[in-house]
Amino acid sequence: MTEQKVRVALGDRAYDILVGGGLLERAGEHIAPLLRRPYAVIVTDENVAAKHLDTLKRALALKNVGCEAVILPPGEKQKSYAGFEQLCEALLALKVERRDHVIALGGGVIGDLVGFAASVLRRGMDFIQVPTSLLAQVDSSVGGKTAINSRQGKNLIGAFHQPRLVLADVALLDTLSPRELRAGYAEVVKYGLLGDAEFFAWLETNGAKLLAGDMVLRTQAVARCCAHKARIVAADEREEGERALLNLGHTFGHALEAETGYSQRLLHGEGVAVGMGLAFRLSAMLDLCDAALAPRVERHLAESGLPARLGDVDGARLFSPAVLLEHMKQDKKVRDGRLVFILAEAIGRAVQRNDVAPEAVETLLREQLAAAA
Ligand code: GLY
């Protein structure tokens, strides 16, 4: 199957994203030319290690690249001060040098954590993303956002630090649980909703086949999302403007994740799915878009097996609109004390707004919770 290459045009920090099936087995070909000495450290978690670590080690060995592996416990709790310390100390114990590369093999947690460690270790090391989840392949591995969580909220301690290469092997998606795959699919839908109406329509037709395992469709979708994100990141690396549109669904989603304790009750992508439905509902309530759009968005998400409405979230009947609003106020997107929402004028036309009255958001949440009761 053909590989697709997407360039993230960031001057002397530009890099390629390669998308295709079987890339992990050929990883050495792509990684070896970047290394300054034939050595790299792979960081992964126990679950991913069991499935993919040997393949990556073999691929590096084929190109005479030696490696060590740091294997961390799985889960979001690694994105903590303690998890960060554990990783930094493990890497330093391996005597990594500033000019070495660290390879992040895993989903969003591993990519964010390893990227942040690489941004500060020895005052900044290079790293390579080998994303194994759909969410990481289409979003978190691209664009250089790295972070750990604070008790005050998600991703509040971090840095912009671009990888040197992203290898997105779509064959690895077969090893995900159906739930995790669907959660990543929410981020795929996001690209259609925020800036590519034609892609959203394509997903309405092809999404089910893609989720069922069609490799060609998966490659096309991941590459299209990465190309979309690469264009946005090249234009607005530090999120001064357009990049914020990638947060469609995230203000609501992060509040829901906080309220459900960043637990298996609601995966990140599931929070984004519900958040996108709410963003379209809020847009309609503020007369920004046609009221028929929210049901269309929710229908596609629900048909894809995702929670699409607030009432679909486990335990939603105990949610308080005021508490959810408090979570939103801790969001990184708060600017000059105002909440920032990504809303929609149409499918494929998202806009950033910082003039949404908190009362309107509270009313929407109250209505949605009442509708679910
Ligand atoms: N995940 C949103 C961004 O990278 O900007």
Side-chain angles (χ1 to χ4, degrees), residues 138-145 155 160 187 190-191 229 232-233 236-237 239 242-248 250 268:
V138 298
D139 189 44
S140 61
S141 69
V142 175
K145 277 190 182 174
N155 294 335
F160 287 97
E187 299 275 1
K190 180 185 81 175
Y191 288 95
K229 182 155 185 183
I232 291 179
V233 168
D236 179 26
E237 183 183 7
E239 200 171 306
E242 189 188 5
R243 183 164 183 171
L245 301 183
L246 293 168
N247 296 322
L248 177 64
H250 284 62
H268 173 71

Side-chain angles (χ1 to χ4, degrees), residues 99-250:
R99 288 159 53 84
D100 287 337
H101 285 66
V102 184
I103 302 173
L105 172 68
V109 169
I110 285 291
D112 285 6
L113 174 66
V114 174
F116 184 46
S119 79
V120 290
L121 265 181
R122 307 250 190 241
R123 297 213 172 91
M125 296 179 60
D126 284 330
F127 82 116
I128 291 166
Q129 291 270 21
V130 184
T132 57
S133 70
L134 181 55
L135 181 144
Q137 293 190 353
V138 298
D139 189 44
S140 61
S141 69
V142 175
K145 277 190 182 174
T146 72
I148 59 171
N149 301 329
S150 142
R151 277 179 288 280
Q152 314 286 327
K154 207 172 147 79
N155 294 335
L156 294 183
I157 301 139
F160 287 97
H161 187 55
Q162 299 293 340
R164 303 298 301 168
L165 173 71
V166 180
L167 289 182
D169 183 345
V170 294
L172 308 188
L173 302 178
D174 281 337
T175 63
L176 299 176
S177 71
R179 184 180 176 199
E180 209 184 340
L181 183 69
R182 288 194 298 268
Y185 181 72
E187 299 275 1
V188 175
V189 174
K190 180 185 81 175
Y191 288 95
L193 295 178
L194 77 90
D196 190 348
E198 194 187 285
F199 184 47
F200 183 70
W202 185 88
L203 290 171
E204 287 180 309
T205 306
N206 295 298
K209 281 177 267 178
L210 182 164
L211 285 169
D214 186 311
M215 278 303 206
V216 174
L217 294 178
R218 282 182 179 180
T219 302
Q220 286 172 1
V222 172
R224 188 156 176 167
C225 295
C226 288
H228 194 152
K229 182 155 185 183
R231 191 190 56 69
I232 291 179
V233 168
D236 179 26
E237 183 183 7
R238 297 183 70 85
E239 200 171 306
E240 310 287 341
E242 189 188 5
R243 183 164 183 171
L245 301 183
L246 293 168
N247 296 322
L248 177 64
H250 284 62

Side-chain angles (χ1 to χ4, degrees), residues 324-335:
L324 290 176
L325 255 180
E326 278 310 305
H327 289 309
M328 290 181 207
K329 289 178 185 159
Q330 262 298 355
D331 204 281
K332 289 185 299 315
K333 292 173 282 301
V334 170
R335 198 171 299 162

Side-chain angles (χ1 to χ4, degrees), residues 43 70 72 82-92 113-114 117 121:
V43 182
V70 175
L72 301 172
F84 175 69
E85 179 183 8
Q86 183 189 1
L87 173 57
C88 290
E89 292 300 329
L91 289 169
L92 291 171
L113 174 66
V114 174
L121 265 181

Side-chain angles (χ1 to χ4, degrees), residues 31-101:
I31 291 175
L34 300 177
L35 306 180
R36 298 180 188 94
R37 62 168 174 152
Y39 173 79
V41 180
I42 304 166
V43 182
T44 188
D45 72 31
E46 287 158 9
N47 295 340
V48 176
K51 294 174 192 157
H52 305 306
L53 182 57
D54 284 346
T55 311
L56 180 54
K57 281 181 165 173
R58 259 196 316 274
L60 293 173
L62 276 174
K63 292 290 162 189
N64 301 312
V65 174
C67 67
E68 300 278 357
V70 175
I71 303 175
L72 301 172
E76 184 79 24
K77 72 175 185 318
Q78 282 307 117
K79 275 179 62 174
S80 58
Y81 294 110
F84 175 69
E85 179 183 8
Q86 183 189 1
L87 173 57
C88 290
E89 292 300 329
L91 289 169
L92 291 171
L94 289 172
K95 302 198 169 42
V96 289
E97 297 175 9
R98 185 192 252 180
R99 288 159 53 84
D100 287 337
H101 285 66

